[in-house]
Amino acid sequence: MPPLPARRRVAVVGTGAIVSGSHLPAVRAHADRVELVAAVDVDPGRLEAFRELAGEAVAGYTSMDAMLDSVRPDLVLIGTPPSLHRGQTVAALKAGAWVLCEKPLTLSLAEYDEIAAAEEASGAYASVVFQHRYGSGAVHARELIASGELGPPRVAHCQTTWHRDAGYYAVPWRGKWSTEGGGPTMGHGIHQYDLLLHLLGPWTEIRAMAARLVHDTESEDVSTALVRFENGALATVVNSVLSPDEVSRIRIDCADATVELTHLYGHRNEDWAYIPASHVAAERAEAWRTPAADVPSSHTAQLGALLDAFDNGVRPPNSGPEARATLEFAAALYKAAFTGNPVHAGQIGPGDPFYPAMHGDHPHWAPKERA
């Protein structure tokens, strides 16, 4: 047997709720493969609280550059506000570290292509957190759909109907294009439609609408879309922060079965249902029900997949063109909604106003200059 690789040295950037509540448990779950060696936060009090929580000899820094120079980590986990992601990811890549960054990895396709260039120059990779792909239920559903076992996909629905109040948007960086990149299309529903794209494959055309119905924000508080996929399936996508009864749901109607996922912020096997068509034999449908393992969708599951790629020296999942495709979907949804025109895959590139910014400098949606 070849020797096991050394434990990877990990640093976290940002020590708020997402890092302490999701990334730290993931690191602990993979303690045989990784070692948390450093944490960065501009708030010294928050940094010290995290170091106490981590319960290890974790070095603390208020500067990411200082941490990279001193520690030279193998892997950097980024959980800061979205406007910081591009710069911090590029800095980590230039230092030779791999990156796992919270969504959205960047605020635009132009920024994403800067990260792609930094990957090319460094030989390191940057992945975005889309943990819903990694639960055993999602893996099982994708295998069934991709193999044709459920028949050709025909109709799909994807909804992220959540609720956020005015207090949520009182945080200074929320609701602004320059700091959050968008509304629920970028910050909330992106997890569900990323999973939809993972299950159904490439899309070809999108038509959409967006609105500010309640919140006083630059970006939208609801968006809806109609999507055509390369395999012929048609889908609806709804992203909302206006919905009192919160739910995350994906439903895909194939020729031989309907597969449905209903959850909120994470799923297990029990959250998936398979309803066979009337012509399907019971013994065939029974084989669809439940995979042998029950792995929740989580940062822990995604970190394990990234470490597998690291050990094998290959590009990790949710990086490169794969992750860019989800961001392109967001840009296309905004362009379709704001212009009223259908948008086709691959249409947005340099020279298109929706390439450097999700608002596309649209007069009704671009940030207003403040006196």
Side-chain angles (χ1 to χ4, degrees):
M1 293 287 291
L4 292 174
R7 293 169 73 199
R8 308 294 180 184
R9 301 171 70 254
V10 176
V12 297
V13 179
T15 60
I18 193 65
V19 171
S20 60
S22 296
H23 287 281
L24 181 57
V27 168
R28 286 173 167 165
H30 293 287
D32 59 328
R33 307 178 71 183
V34 296
E35 175 188 9
L36 183 61
V37 295
V40 180
D41 202 302
V42 295
D43 183 327
R46 190 167 55 209
L47 175 61
E48 288 310 306
F50 175 82
R51 292 178 70 196
E52 290 182 14
L53 177 65
E56 302 175 27
V58 178
Y61 297 84
T62 55
S63 162
M64 183 176 177
D65 288 341
M67 182 277 291
L68 291 172
D69 287 341
S70 177
V71 176
R72 308 302 293 183
D74 301 305
L75 172 63
V76 175
L77 310 178
I78 297 177
T80 53
S83 63
L84 303 175
H85 291 175
R86 180 202 57 81
Q88 291 172 341
T89 297
V90 168
L93 290 170
K94 286 182 176 179
W98 286 32
V99 176
L100 179 59
C101 180
E102 284 296 323
K103 55 75 186 168
L105 181 56
T106 64
L107 303 187
S108 69
L109 288 170
E111 285 191 356
Y112 192 94
D113 290 344
E114 289 183 46
I115 288 179
E119 284 188 332
E120 181 71 22
S122 69
Y125 296 113
S127 292
V128 60
V129 174
F130 284 132
Q131 71 272 23
H132 293 327
R133 291 187 178 201
Y134 296 90
S136 52
V139 172
H140 183 60
R142 188 169 190 256
E143 289 173 349
L144 290 174
I145 293 170
S147 70
E149 174 59 28
L150 305 183
R154 291 174 173 169
V155 182
H157 307 276
C158 176
Q159 75 179 87
T160 302
T161 42
W162 294 357
H163 188 269
R164 298 293 184 266
D165 60 15
Y168 176 85
Y169 286 104
V171 176
W173 57 265
R174 288 185 176 142
K176 297 182 175 65
W177 294 108
S178 63
T179 49
E180 194 171 25
T185 306
M186 278 283 275
H188 304 83
I190 195 168
H191 277 301
Q192 295 323 300
Y193 63 72
D194 173 74
L195 180 54
L196 182 74
L197 297 174
H198 186 58
L199 295 173
L200 287 184
W203 60 278
T204 60
E205 180 184 356
I206 184 169
R207 300 165 186 257
M209 291 189 290
R212 298 185 200 96
L213 298 182
V214 173
H215 295 293
D216 182 18
T217 57
E218 290 181 352
S219 51
E220 84 291 358
D221 54 18
V222 61
S223 68
T224 64
L226 302 175
V227 187
R228 189 186 308 276
F229 283 82
E230 197 173 272
N231 59 19
L234 299 180
T236 61
V237 176
V238 179
N239 308 296
S240 165
V241 289
L242 308 178
S243 308
D245 182 18
E246 294 188 295
V247 69
S248 305
R249 180 178 291 123
I250 289 177
R251 170 177 168 144
I252 300 174
D253 296 325
C254 300
D256 294 341
T258 291
V259 54
E260 187 162 8
L261 166 66
T262 304
H263 67 119
L264 187 55
Y265 298 137
H267 56 78
R268 305 188 72 105
N269 289 350
E270 64 187 16
D271 299 316
W272 293 81
Y274 292 86
I275 300 90
S278 58
H279 64 267
V280 172
E283 59 271 18
R284 178 183 170 201
E286 187 60 32
W288 303 337
R289 304 286 178 186
T290 306
D294 187 3
V295 179
S297 63
S298 64
H299 288 64
T300 298
Q302 181 165 358
L303 179 58
L306 183 145
L307 292 172
D308 290 344
F310 209 147
D311 292 347
N312 290 302
V314 298
R315 174 176 286 283
N318 283 121
S319 68
E322 181 182 26
R324 191 184 191 281
T326 299
L327 195 67
E328 182 192 4
F329 184 89
L333 193 157
Y334 280 124
K335 181 174 182 177
F338 296 170
T339 65
N341 298 317
V343 176
H344 294 86
Q347 182 177 319
I348 300 174
D352 188 304
F354 288 87
Y355 178 71
M358 293 290 173
H359 55 71
D361 283 329
H362 189 279
H364 295 154
W365 288 95
K368 305 296 188 294
E369 292 188 9
R370 301 184 187 276

